[in-house]
Amino acid sequence: MGNDDYKDKIEQARQELNKLALEHGMQDVRVLRQSVKLDALLNEYSDCNTEKDDQLY
């Protein structure tokens, strides 16, 4: 997946998280699940960029 694809998915996940938090409150299990999804995407994006940086050396 390319950087732009990750950025789009991350932004969609962030917007969904904000929407759920406003609708259901921060303690709702749906908010927690969406937060975990967003964290996973951010970690994948970070790992992808770290691997590219490592290849430069």
Side-chain angles (χ1 to χ4, degrees):
M1 187 178 326
N3 277 348
D4 288 337
D5 293 331
Y6 271 115
K7 288 178 182 179
D8 289 342
K9 286 186 179 248
I10 288 168
E11 181 59 22
Q12 290 172 356
R14 185 190 66 77
Q15 288 179 8
E16 180 66 15
L17 176 62
N18 286 337
K19 181 182 135 214
L20 288 170
L22 287 171
E23 289 175 359
H24 305 289
M26 294 295 290
Q27 301 299 320
D28 191 85
V29 69
R30 292 167 282 199
V31 175
L32 177 59
R33 285 188 194 126
Q34 186 63 27
S35 177
V36 169
K37 289 179 186 178
L38 177 57
D39 286 346
L41 281 170
L42 289 167
N43 288 334
E44 286 178 35
Y45 177 74
S46 177
D47 290 347
C48 179
N49 285 327
T50 300
E51 288 172 8
K52 287 179 184 175
D53 289 344
D54 289 346
Q55 291 174 357
L56 295 176
Y57 299 106

